[in-house]
């Protein structure tokens, strides 16, 4: 514990959250809870999830549930109990049992799921504040569960797939472009910041942050001489940068809970076949699909999916992705049912054929976490979607480029 206590002695500071949209529902008050146990209500009218809430949760709050495997559900806190079965209207930084009446089967919520008010973020860009709700939630219980293999594997998986905030210094300001990007000119230098290893003064550690709130706990990282500059950094990039700092990384070094990754652990992670297969040189993280040729005379029914929170979240994240992808002119979303009654989303994308495979994979990355009732999504370009021509003309699209 000495290592972590010495990290925590740093004072808090505040860095402005750069995102325009609130990062959490319920008037932007943030809470997380790692599900330690679930119980089925005797009347089969819901379930109870139990764990320690960090932050404040209130009856009536909307919340997201991040589940092992990557799927996300939207739910609502019906009621709660604290202590020995004492009903409460709210709970803050304490163990609590929360009743969720819209989830009927406790098997849907596995141990180490995370209940949180922080919005999912499957589309990451420079104009949106970075969030890693599942990783942040898991990290809050690091000291309790780090010796549990199931928990530790989930934590490492989320770290490997996170997008972190990394503070840096620049000797020249980049030139801002109309689309929100920036261009670095000749002679520009980027300097990453390290922190002292708390137990070995000869070593430096590379710090990364899950969100702006965590970065805000680092006092004096920015000042008038060094105004706030940050980079969005994936874990493989952080590993490369960390080699300048003895190959060690710490996530959220100043809280809420630091997670230290020593060099030998990072080496073991990056040496696994799964990591090399996914993040090895030349791998494209958006290439997650496969091409399937449909047999002639295959009969399917296509319609507009019924309104639900699942469909709503899929549409919202399609729009977020499409806004940053210039090659997309239009997106339509339908529900396809084949002769075997298998239900599949059908996404029709108006984009150049040569960009289709990349864009299809990226859309799936943006929306796949929200699949619950329907598990699969098929893609087709607008030019090849003649069989749904009438629907394309009749129903409004999800997205049209402005």
């Amino acid at each position: 514990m000495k290592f972590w206590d010495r990290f925590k002695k740093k004072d808090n500071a505040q860095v402005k959250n750069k995102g325009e949209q609130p990062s959490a529902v319920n008037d932007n008050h943030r809470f997380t809870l790692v599900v330690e146990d679930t119980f089925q209500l005797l009347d089969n009218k819901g379930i109870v999830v139990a764990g320690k809430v960090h932050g404040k949760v209130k009856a009536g709050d909307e919340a997201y549930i991040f589940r092992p495997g990557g799927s996300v559900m939207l739910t609502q806190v019906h009621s709660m109990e604290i202590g020995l079965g004492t009903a409460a209207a709210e709970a803050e930084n304490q163990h609590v049992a929360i009743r969720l009446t819209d989830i009927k089967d406790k098997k849907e919520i596995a141990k180490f799921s995370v209940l949180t008010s922080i919005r999912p973020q499957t589309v990451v860009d420079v104009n949106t504040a970075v969030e890693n709700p599942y990783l942040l939630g898991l990290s809050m219980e690091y000291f309790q569960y780090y010796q549990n293999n199931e928990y530790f594997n989930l934590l490492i998986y989320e770290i490997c797939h996170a997008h972190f905030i990394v503070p840096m210094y620049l000797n020249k300001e980049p030139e801002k472009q109309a689309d929100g990007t920036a261009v670095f000119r000749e002679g520009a230098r980027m300097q990453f910041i390290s922190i002292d290893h708390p137990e070995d003064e000869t070593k430096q550690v590379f710090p990364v942050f899950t969100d702006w709130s965590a970065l805000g706990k680092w006092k004096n990282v920015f000042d008038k001489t060094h105004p706030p500059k940050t980079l969005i950094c994936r874990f493989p990039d952080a590993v490369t940068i960390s080699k300048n700092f003895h190959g060690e990384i710490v996530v959220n070094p100043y809280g809420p809970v630091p997670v230290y990754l020593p060099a030998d652990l990072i080496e073991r992670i990056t040496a696994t076949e799964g990591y090399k297969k996914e993040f090895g040189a030349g791998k494209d993280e958006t290439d997650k699909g496969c091409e399937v040729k449909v047999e002639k005379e295959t009969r399917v029914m296509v319609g507009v999916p019924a309104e639900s929170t699942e469909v709503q979240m899929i549409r919202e994240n399609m729009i977020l992705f499409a806004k940053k992808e210039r090659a997309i002119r239009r997106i339509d979303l339908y529900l396809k049912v084949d002769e075997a009654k298998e239900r599949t989303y059908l996404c029709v994308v108006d984009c150049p054929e040569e960009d289709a495979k990349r864009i299809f994979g990226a859309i799936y990355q943006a929306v796949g976490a929200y699949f619950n009732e329907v598990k699969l999504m098929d893609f087709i370009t607008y030019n090849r979607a003649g069989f749904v021509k009438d629907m394309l003309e009749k129903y409004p699209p999800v997205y049209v480029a402005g």
Side-chain angles (χ1 to χ4, degrees), residues 8-39:
K8 292 179 180 178
K9 287 180 181 178
K10 307 295 184 180
D11 293 330
N12 290 350
Q14 293 299 319
V15 179
K16 185 179 179 181
N17 186 317
K18 297 176 67 177
E20 295 182 359
Q21 183 188 40
S23 60
V25 290
N26 314 311
D27 298 323
N28 206 30
H29 75 264
R30 297 162 68 96
F31 68 81
T32 65
L33 177 148
V34 172
V35 175
E36 298 176 353
D37 208 347
T38 58
F39 305 92

Side-chain angles (χ1 to χ4, degrees), residues 80-91:
M80 69 188 76
E81 295 181 354
I82 57 177
L84 297 175
T86 303
E90 61 183 45

Side-chain angles (χ1 to χ4, degrees), residues 263-368:
D264 61 339
L265 175 59
I266 293 174
E267 289 175 4
R268 293 200 304 273
I269 293 170
T270 56
T272 62
E273 288 302 316
Y275 184 92
K276 289 189 289 186
K277 183 177 180 180
E278 184 167 358
F279 299 109
K283 297 296 183 182
D284 182 353
E285 68 170 351
T286 66
D287 186 8
K288 299 293 184 182
C290 61
E291 185 174 347
V292 177
K293 292 185 178 180
V294 179
E295 298 292 335
K296 290 184 178 180
E297 305 301 330
T298 299
R299 304 179 70 177
V300 298
M301 294 184 294
V302 179
V304 177
E307 290 300 320
S308 66
T309 55
E310 176 177 333
V311 172
Q312 177 185 343
M313 289 191 290
I314 289 172
R315 285 175 176 159
E316 288 175 356
N317 283 274
M318 276 185 173
I319 293 169
L320 286 174
F321 171 77
K323 284 182 177 179
K324 72 171 191 174
E325 177 54 70
R326 293 183 177 181
I328 295 178
R329 296 180 286 268
R330 169 174 170 155
I331 298 179
D332 294 82
L333 180 66
Y334 302 115
L335 183 68
K336 178 167 68 79
V337 183
D338 64 18
E339 293 174 314
K341 305 299 182 183
E342 182 177 6
R343 301 162 71 235
T344 306
Y345 289 120
L346 175 64
C347 183
V348 182
V349 186
D350 187 0
C351 67
E353 292 288 340
E354 61 270 21
D355 294 325
K357 186 175 181 180
R358 173 184 62 82
I359 288 174
F360 292 170
I363 292 175
Y364 179 81
Q365 287 289 102
V367 305

